[in-house]
Amino acid sequence: MASSLPAFVARRRPDWTALEALLTRQRAGTLHLEELRTLDVLYRRAAADLAHAQTFHPGTDVHRFLNQLCARAYAAIYQPPRERWAALLAFFRQDFPRTLRAHGAFVAASAGLFVLGILLGAVVVLLEPRGAELLVPENLRDYISRKQLWTDGLLSVSPPGAVASGIATNNLTVTIATFASGLLLGLGTVFMLLNNGVHLGSVAALCVHEGLGAKLFDFIAAHGPVELSIIVIAGGAGLRVGQTLIAPGELPRGQALVLHGRESVKLVLGCAPFLALIAVVEGFISPGDFFPGWVKASLGLALGALFWGYLLRAGNAGPRAGVAAG
């Protein structure tokens, strides 16, 4: 007989919480031998709860939470640990792109906020160039006033490897900050997206106003599409966390944050190798005149198309089945 969803959650939540605690201890290697039977019993109860949720409450947060909880318990009890490289390959072949597509609405909202910031920054500076005094950092304004880009002498000061390393560190910092600020009910992520957008738009508009638009495009063409995409994905992950804190749905806020927070972390972790790759491009290819502008633009378009083609197509094997009791 079906019960209401809140009553079902209230009645069964203690067992789910106890199972989560045992799984955490099992993963940390602190689980006692006599607790393994309790773990198995709680898993079987959770599997029965999952079957109930699949029948009477499909597509809810409770259903998704139980599916994830049972998958963790089944792997802990019955499956031998996968080889690290096999697990990593499976993550990038399936989990990361599937998670991105499942959170497409949040990534789209992040893109909208970022583009809004770019437009705001650009419009302010183009309509009133003195607005750059408020929006563009002084050191960048000094370069632009001398008809130079701050990147012109980049490779003469540091070798490309050092430049790439510094860029990777900075990009990782921005990505993590954009995601983690979602814990401020999403408002931190909204601010980060708008602020970064305004900064980019105002700098670009000032460069265009001073006749440096072509030089700026020449610099960002190779790395820009992927780098900006990663910022948008991190923003989508942060917005998802914020939305969970504001409206946790049928689950208690803590369990909802565990469920959706784990998925959001996958988005950020999945971006990490692409951040490293694009830092190499930005350090070795983007600065200077060694590579002509059309090569940089072609490379940037190709990398962007490959990146989004991978995210939108990889792991397309239909929905995964729920976990049943062993």
Side-chain angles (χ1 to χ4, degrees), residues 286-322:
S286 295
D289 301 322
F290 184 81
F291 295 94
W294 68 268
V295 170
K296 296 179 184 180
S298 299
L299 177 62
L301 290 174
L303 290 176
L306 287 171
F307 182 61
W308 281 103
Y310 153 71
L311 290 175
L312 297 177
R313 296 180 63 84
N316 264 328
R320 288 170 286 188

Side-chain angles (χ1 to χ4, degrees), residues 121-281:
V123 168
V124 168
V125 173
L126 289 175
L127 293 181
E128 179 50 74
R130 286 179 298 178
E133 296 178 8
L134 296 175
L135 301 179
V136 180
E138 184 178 0
N139 64 318
L140 300 189
R141 296 201 311 270
D142 289 342
Y143 277 107
I144 295 172
S145 67
R146 299 195 299 268
K147 304 300 180 183
Q148 296 178 337
L149 286 185
W150 54 99
T151 61
D152 285 348
L154 199 58
L155 295 183
S156 64
V157 176
S158 302
V163 173
S165 177
I167 290 170
T169 301
N170 177 73
N171 289 346
L172 183 61
T173 301
V174 172
T175 299
I176 292 175
T178 302
F179 161 63
S181 57
L183 290 170
L184 301 175
L185 301 180
L187 296 177
T189 295
V190 171
F191 171 78
M192 291 290 294
L193 290 167
L194 289 174
N195 184 63
N196 280 299
V198 167
H199 175 75
L200 179 60
S202 59
V203 170
L206 184 60
C207 287
V208 170
H209 184 267
E210 297 297 327
L212 295 173
K215 288 188 68 174
L216 179 65
F217 175 78
D218 182 79
F219 172 70
I220 66 173
H223 65 269
V226 173
E227 185 175 290
L228 300 183
S229 294
I230 290 172
I231 292 175
V232 164
I233 292 171
L239 293 177
R240 185 63 180 105
V241 170
Q243 194 270 346
T244 299
L245 291 172
I246 294 171
E250 310 93 353
L251 291 171
R253 185 169 279 102
Q255 288 182 336
L257 185 60
V258 169
L259 171 65
H260 297 298
R262 185 178 289 115
E263 297 297 298
S264 297
V265 168
K266 286 182 182 180
L267 293 178
V268 178
L269 292 178
C271 288
F274 299 99
L275 277 175
L277 170 64
I278 213 62
V280 172
V281 173

Side-chain angles (χ1 to χ4, degrees), residues 6 17 23 95 100 115 161 164 187 234 308:
T17 302
L23 289 172
D95 289 351
L100 184 283
V115 170
L187 296 177
W308 281 103

